[in-house]
Amino acid sequence: MSEAGDRPLRAKRSLGQNFLVDPNYVRKIIAAVRPVAGDVVVEIGPGRGALTEGLLESGAAVIAIELDRELVPELQLRFAPTGRFKVVEADASEADLRVLIDTHFPGTPRAKLVANLPYYISTAILQHLAAERHCLLELVLMFQREVVDRITAPAGNSERGFLTVIVEGAFVVERLFDVPPEAFRPRPKIWSSVVRLVPKPESLADEPAFRSLISAAFAQKRKTIANNLKSVYPDIATALAAAGVDAKRRAETLELAEWLRLYTALCSSAEQ
Ligand code: SAM
């Protein structure tokens, strides 16, 4: 077991601290990241270093972003001697990743990213990572299983929502495996799941107006798209027809390509 697993654990619930203590799942997550010497890996929320240790053992360099200031000196003491470890006390949902990478490991075009994230921050961090994705090669993220159900929900699934479409616009999403509550201390009530996100190039889905459209369309999930959107977009009926989307459908039934067609139709009707 890792050094962290041997010590008494003081966990802060307010920061979503459930530390991974099962070495098999530590190994599985590290294997999903596939770190090699020469890589730079950004780790969000290193906690007591369960994943950090494995990342550094691969020869990769690690930039760890930890909000809990009490954990920072401990991480520094344990991992700084590798010469490939930097820890930054910050809120990862606001951190400028490009600046962090350039400051600590200049000359790195793109880094990998790994995180075991508390539930309270999942929406904010996913939106932030979508905006920051151009400095990232790929991301391996662990969330509460319900969050992964939501972001991987295909069109027609009732779990599909604003976050699903925003994440699909920014990343290719691959669900990897589930992690049981027993793998953590303290033990959470719920299962977790791990996903791999591969950044997509810049697209219309990055525009703030696209996000506003998706947010308005999912405002009341039981309503049709036309009913959700008619007060915000007076031309919605024409745009739906131009995009080939039936006005009676609900938002959860649309695929990303259909959202992009609808957005393009709305943009061109606004220009006329
Ligand atoms: N990675 C460790 C592990 O797997 O054992 C810890 C995971 S624990 C679920 C989440 C970690 O994220 C905690 O260390 C917590 O302090 C940290 N954290 C919570 N909110 C954060 C934020 N906004 N920015 C950076 N770290 C955060």
Side-chain angles (χ1 to χ4, degrees), residues 110-168:
R110 300 220 275 175
K112 293 177 176 172
L113 186 141
V114 63
N116 167 12
L117 291 161
Y119 178 65
Y120 80 93
I121 201 184
S122 43
T123 301
I125 201 89
L126 274 166
Q127 290 196 69
H128 184 63
L129 292 175
E132 298 271 310
R133 72 185 185 278
H134 303 298
C135 61
L136 298 174
L137 268 176
E138 59 176 40
L139 305 80
V140 172
L141 305 177
M142 176 150 63
F143 290 109
Q144 179 170 337
R145 189 161 63 181
E146 285 70 16
V147 174
V148 172
D149 289 343
R150 217 180 320 146
I151 63 177
T152 55
N157 184 310
S158 63
E159 293 296 319
R160 193 169 172 84
F162 170 80
L163 195 60
T164 325
V165 180
I166 297 309
V167 169
E168 274 184 7

Side-chain angles (χ1 to χ4, degrees), residues 7 47 66 68-81 85 87-89:
R7 281 190 246 133
E66 175 55 64
D68 184 350
R69 70 170 50 165
E70 285 183 24
L71 294 175
V72 170
E74 183 181 336
L75 289 160
Q76 177 70 15
L77 202 66
R78 184 165 162 210
F79 298 118
F85 177 74
V87 58
V88 180
E89 184 197 321

Side-chain angles (χ1 to χ4, degrees), residues 12 14-21 26 29 43-52 65-68 71 88 90-94 115-121 125 142 184-185:
K12 293 181 183 144
S14 61
L15 291 177
Q17 292 182 349
N18 297 97
F19 300 110
L20 195 57
V21 293
V26 170
I29 294 172
E43 185 186 6
I44 297 177
R48 298 179 72 94
L51 298 172
T52 322
I65 307 172
E66 175 55 64
L67 187 56
D68 184 350
L71 294 175
V88 180
D91 180 344
S93 65
E94 293 173 356
N116 167 12
L117 291 161
Y119 178 65
Y120 80 93
I121 201 184
I125 201 89
M142 176 150 63
F184 302 91
R185 293 287 180 281

